Amino acid sequence: MATARASVGFLLQRRSTPLRSDEAFRGVFWQAAVRVRFSLVLGGVVSSSMSSDQANDNLVSGKTRIQDRQINLNMYELHMNIRMFFLLQVINHGIEVGVVEDIEKVAKEFFEMPLEEKKKYPMEPGTVQGYGQAFIFSEDQKLDWCNMFALGVHPPSIRNPKLWPSKPARFSENLEGYSKEIRKLCKRLLKYIAISLDLKEERFEEMFGEAVQAVRMNYYPPCSRPDLVMGLSPHSDGSALTVLQQSKNSRVGLQILKDNTWVPVQPLPNALVINIGDTIEVLTNGKYKSVEHRAVTNRERERLTIVTFYAPNYEVKIEPMDELVDDETNPCKYRSYNHGDYSYHYVSNKLQGKKSLDFAKIIN
Ligand SMILES: O=C(O)CCC(=O)C(=O)O
Ligand SMILES: [Fe+2]
């Protein structure tokens, strides 16, 4: 197995707060043959289960008024709770178990290859694609306990084909298939978010243009002193949405910052974790907030995550949407910039909580 380095003496910031089962709230809504279950664990994770078949498409496109109301009801809840927690887990997302398992399998096989093989796909200094560690800018910097393999996926122009590995054999094929499904999911979630804000369903899709999609596989080896290292330093994602898949039977690794406390995100079977990224925070003028999160390691078990970042095309101008700005009640909080400029800014700085977003904030 590959090893990750980390400097001893890097103190974990705070102990995680366990979720209390008595804080669990569950609500169930039934509508015709479509079942939408909504479940929320206070202080931790919002989990929204959407039906995975034809019914879901009906739900998304809102073909009847009743279904529209159903969407609004659930989106209101979803919206309120994303706003409280900035993160949700989707189950019954419609992506076949095989697709999810296949990507995990090749990702695991990739990290298990000998170091010489992985080094054929190096993440060169100053770049963010390939195998290695991103966000390292000085020799003195404390390193996270994590090895990464990152690839630009869509549009094809952002790919570096030399970095797409020939081994494991089905790596590229599985990644293509998986990424298509995740793309569909992101489009659907953006529609839900638009509806929750009383925007036109297609509002995000129309402005995103040919959306950019990149994947990062994070491998966290077990660590004998998890109290001394960080798996991945605190940050928010620069994306619009991030979809995170955790390896089966994962220990808690992901934590989100809520009211100055690090709260563990309890992995749910077959769930995908959805993070709101900085770009949605800007576009919604702060109605949705990007979630600050980090990953911690554990003594016993490795952990693997497959993370997709979904964002507008680099050419797209990002600024709070007109509909969400009002000089009196909701003044504009972020300036305009090209998404490409923010992406560049994001990857040229180390991970430091939500500091990257200062780039966009209007400071009065
Ligand atoms: O691996 C995790 O749990 C977090 C990964 C993450 O936040 C990222 O890759 O941006
Ligand atoms: Fe992240």
Side-chain angles (χ1 to χ4, degrees):
M1 273 295 161
T3 51
R5 290 168 295 148
S7 305
V8 177
F10 180 30
L11 224 54
L12 204 67
Q13 295 176 358
R14 196 168 290 139
R15 285 216 164 270
S16 56
T17 317
L19 289 176
R20 294 205 333 250
S21 58
D22 60 343
E23 286 176 329
F25 161 84
R26 276 170 199 280
V28 181
F29 303 101
W30 290 89
Q31 179 63 50
V34 181
R35 192 182 70 153
V36 178
R37 193 183 74 213
F38 177 83
S39 115
L40 156 70
V41 183
L42 284 175
V45 180
V46 180
S47 138
S48 166
S49 149
M50 302 169 199
S51 61
S52 56
D53 46 18
Q54 186 65 41
N56 196 22
D57 290 335
N58 289 342
L59 191 71
V60 172
S61 58
K63 283 191 179 143
T64 70
R65 286 195 62 202
I66 294 170
Q67 280 169 339
D68 275 343
R69 291 226 310 274
Q70 183 71 22
I71 293 172
N72 290 336
L73 174 65
N74 286 294
M75 279 320 300
Y76 176 73
E77 300 287 356
L78 193 60
H79 177 55
M80 291 308 288
N81 290 295
I82 295 177
R83 286 185 67 189
M84 278 160 73
F85 299 99
F86 322 132
L87 173 140
L88 65 143
Q89 297 203 50
V90 187
I91 51 177
N92 288 353
H93 34 65
I95 303 179
E96 282 179 22
V97 177
V99 173
V100 169
E101 284 177 353
D102 286 352
I103 192 71
E104 184 179 326
K105 183 166 174 289
V106 289
K108 190 161 182 293
E109 284 170 10
F110 178 85
F111 285 108
E112 282 171 349
M113 291 195 305
L115 188 57
E116 303 75 64
E117 188 63 36
K118 287 179 286 200
K119 277 176 140 179
K120 290 183 184 163
Y121 312 101
M123 187 183 289
E124 302 288 0
T127 69
V128 281
Q129 294 197 41
Y131 174 74
Q133 284 196 318
F135 308 107
I136 310 293
F137 300 100
S138 90
E139 302 233 317
D140 310 328
Q141 200 177 324
K142 308 259 172 32
L143 297 185
D144 287 339
W145 194 263
C146 172
N147 288 330
M148 298 172 169
F149 185 47
L151 293 171
V153 176
H154 195 90
S157 56
I158 69 162
R159 290 186 186 190
N160 181 347
K162 288 197 197 123
L163 296 177
W164 284 58
S166 50
K167 285 194 243 169
R170 292 172 62 87
F171 186 97
S172 300
E173 194 184 324
N174 290 1
L175 180 56
E176 295 275 14
Y178 177 77
S179 296
K180 271 199 190 118
E181 293 300 314
I182 297 289
R183 197 170 178 83
K184 281 194 252 167
L185 176 64
C186 288
K187 287 178 194 276
R188 241 159 55 203
L189 287 165
L190 286 171
K191 276 188 192 175
Y192 289 141
I193 291 175
I195 294 166
S196 76
L197 294 168
D198 285 331
L199 298 170
K200 216 169 67 167
E201 264 184 42
E202 309 297 335
R203 185 70 169 91
F204 290 105
E205 183 153 13
E206 280 171 10
M207 67 143 305
F208 274 31
E210 185 79 53
V212 168
Q213 192 175 347
V215 73
R216 184 158 71 219
M217 298 167 177
N218 301 307
Y219 173 76
Y220 306 92
C223 174
S224 58
R225 290 296 307 269
D227 53 328
L228 296 182
V229 301
M230 187 62 71
L232 194 59
S233 298
H235 65 282
S236 56
D237 297 332
S239 56
L241 291 178
T242 301
V243 180
L244 180 140
Q245 176 182 332
Q246 318 198 49
S247 50
K248 253 199 185 137
N249 307 319
S250 266
R251 292 278 160 88
V252 175
L254 179 64
Q255 300 184 336
I256 58 172
L257 191 62
K258 169 100 178 65
D259 302 330
N260 285 323
T261 303
W262 286 104
V263 181
V265 176
Q266 210 71 47
L268 299 175
N270 300 320
L272 294 169
V273 176
I274 314 294
N275 281 350
I276 297 293
D278 294 341
T279 303
I280 288 288
E281 174 164 339
V282 173
L283 292 173
T284 64
N285 201 24
K287 280 192 185 299
Y288 279 74
K289 295 263 191 307
S290 61
V291 58
E292 184 169 343
H293 56 286
R294 69 180 186 182
V296 296
T297 57
N298 72 80
R299 209 172 266 121
E300 291 83 24
R301 205 179 292 165
E302 63 188 15
R303 180 167 169 268
L304 172 69
T305 57
I306 297 149
V307 185
T308 302
F309 303 99
Y310 186 84
N313 192 280
Y314 292 134
E315 306 298 325
V316 168
K317 187 165 89 168
I318 305 296
E319 63 188 357
M321 290 174 156
D322 284 348
E323 304 90 314
L324 303 175
V325 175
D326 176 310
D327 281 347
E328 286 191 358
T329 55
N330 202 9
C332 187
K333 299 189 182 81
Y334 309 87
R335 66 184 180 89
S336 300
Y337 55 88
N338 269 3
H339 180 62
D341 293 341
Y342 188 60
S343 287
Y344 180 75
H345 166 80
Y346 187 91
V347 300
S348 333
N349 283 280
K350 52 183 188 178
L351 299 177
Q352 266 183 294
K354 289 189 63 167
K355 198 160 180 293
S356 283
L357 202 52
D358 288 350
F359 174 95
K361 280 188 185 145
I362 294 175
I363 316 281
N364 292 315

